[in-house]
Amino acid sequence: MTDLNKLDWSLIETFVAVAEQGSLSAAARQLGSSQPTVGRQIKSIETQLGADLFHRSANGFNLTASGMKLLPAAQAMNAAYRDLMLATAGQDTDLSGTVCITASEMVSVYHLPEIIADIRQREPQIQIEVIATDDSRNLLYREADIAIRMFQPNQLDLIARHLGDLDLGVFASKDYVARRGPLRSLDDLQNHDFIGLNEQTLIIDNMRKFGLDAKRDWFSVRCDDPVAYWRMVQTGCGIGFAQKSVARKDPDIIELNLGFPLPTLPVWLTAHEAIRHTPRVKRVWDLLVEGLKPLLS
């Protein structure tokens, strides 16, 4: 069997990603690659090692005995490479270059564009990459330089700052209200269509806290994608929940009152401590704080 240390680094990184993610597609998303490329790399590493590392099935990729034997060493190399990249990035003193920001889809669509336009005007030498996803990107592996998250990160070696909270409200389109009538009290709930979540239980859980017997089938329309969800509210599919800072920008949207307070979304800015104070990351961090602050309570 070929010495693992003589393999191309990208093959080792791909092997670890597939082993940890369990599928080519998930590994490709993590690596910023394509599924065919990841598949070719797995085939290449197996050819070079002269061993099958994965069992292929309809449920994904599972490690063979050979793969399980190699995984700890490959993960150790992956961790060492990560530490090397972070240490190198931490020594960067140049303001010019690229800063990668990851944020939720709603923040990326409705809040970040104006902030990034301002960053580009004020610091044209800094290029910005945006990863719009509600998945938690791993800053330890440099998948992003700065993360805007709706929860407090608990990983070691991360610097996190709570900027404030996004207020949530209940909204419907003017067209919907004209067709179905206003929502005057909780007694009117049965006369209205609500937009809920399909697999997530956040809305149901919070409604039940206030004594409402909400169930999944209680929502006539359900969608987990936040941007698609908001478009359904805008087009009159029913009453829905949204960030007030987003909804109040639309003149065709009416804010309603269910008679009880809604939870807020905490906003945390996060970066790895090794790169947090490099010039361009620090500058983008400071401009993100400045741009997000007016949206928060």
Side-chain angles (χ1 to χ4, degrees):
M1 183 179 290
T2 301
D3 184 352
L4 189 61
N5 290 292
K6 295 180 180 179
L7 287 173
D8 184 299
W9 161 248
S10 64
L11 300 183
I12 299 171
E13 184 181 31
T14 299
F15 166 66
V16 172
V18 175
E20 293 179 344
Q21 297 296 323
S23 74
L24 296 181
S25 57
R29 287 193 296 271
Q30 176 181 310
L31 296 169
S33 183
S34 67
Q35 184 171 333
T37 297
V38 172
R40 288 193 296 270
Q41 289 177 322
I42 291 299
K43 184 176 181 179
S44 178
I45 191 173
E46 289 181 324
T47 299
Q48 291 185 42
L49 293 175
D52 292 331
L53 302 180
F54 295 97
H55 295 296
R56 279 79 164 170
S57 71
N59 295 323
F61 277 51
N62 298 308
L63 287 169
T64 63
S66 296
M68 293 179 66
K69 183 177 179 180
L70 289 175
L71 183 59
Q75 288 175 320
M77 294 179 70
N78 203 21
Y81 180 77
R82 175 200 71 196
D83 292 342
L84 176 63
M85 291 300 98
L86 285 170
T88 302
Q91 301 303 313
D92 192 347
T93 59
D94 193 355
L95 185 64
S96 64
T98 300
V99 175
C100 181
I101 304 167
T102 183
S104 70
E105 291 183 60
M106 287 297 286
V107 169
S108 298
V109 171
Y110 292 102
H111 300 317
L112 273 186
E114 292 180 358
I115 297 173
I116 291 173
D118 179 64
I119 293 174
R120 290 290 302 136
Q121 289 184 44
R122 296 165 69 172
E123 302 294 348
Q125 68 273 50
I126 299 177
Q127 299 176 9
I128 302 294
E129 292 180 357
V130 176
I131 301 175
T133 177
D134 290 303
D135 294 335
S136 177
R137 291 276 163 170
N138 193 336
L139 298 179
L140 298 179
Y141 287 86
R142 291 298 309 277
E143 293 178 25
D145 298 306
I146 299 174
I148 303 170
R149 291 181 171 160
M150 305 304 175
F151 59 89
Q152 182 176 6
N154 55 16
Q155 292 172 295
L156 297 176
D157 302 326
L158 295 184
I159 294 176
R161 177 178 172 184
H162 180 218
L163 300 185
D165 300 284
L166 288 168
D167 293 325
L168 298 178
V170 185
F171 300 92
S173 70
K174 290 181 179 178
D175 177 66
Y176 173 86
V177 174
R179 285 186 286 110
R180 302 295 296 274
L183 179 67
R184 297 186 180 89
S185 68
L186 294 181
D187 294 334
D188 290 335
L189 291 180
Q190 61 183 353
N191 300 319
H192 285 276
D193 291 332
F194 271 81
I195 304 173
L197 303 176
N198 190 30
E199 295 182 359
Q200 301 177 38
T201 62
L202 178 64
I203 294 176
I204 291 176
D205 293 342
N206 280 286
M207 282 187 159
R208 287 177 178 173
K209 288 180 181 179
F210 294 97
L212 295 175
D213 187 25
K215 300 176 182 178
R216 182 176 180 275
D217 292 340
W218 192 73
F219 297 91
S220 53
V221 178
R222 296 181 293 272
C223 178
D224 286 333
D225 182 279
V227 176
Y229 179 102
W230 176 236
R231 282 296 296 151
M232 291 177 186
V233 177
Q234 289 178 304
T235 54
C237 294
I239 296 171
F241 302 85
Q243 299 173 22
K244 290 184 178 182
S245 55
V246 172
R248 288 174 174 172
K249 293 180 180 179
D250 190 333
D252 294 320
I253 291 293
I254 297 174
E255 186 168 359
L256 307 174
N257 185 2
L258 288 184
F260 55 81
L262 296 178
T264 57
L265 291 176
V267 178
W268 289 83
L269 206 57
T270 311
H272 194 285
E273 63 180 2
I275 64 168
R276 162 67 180 86
H277 295 290
T278 58
R280 62 176 169 270
V281 173
K282 182 180 185 302
R283 181 58 173 156
V284 172
W285 174 290
D286 291 342
L287 292 175
L288 285 172
V289 171
E290 180 183 319
L292 290 168
K293 274 292 188 181
L295 308 172
L296 307 174
S297 59

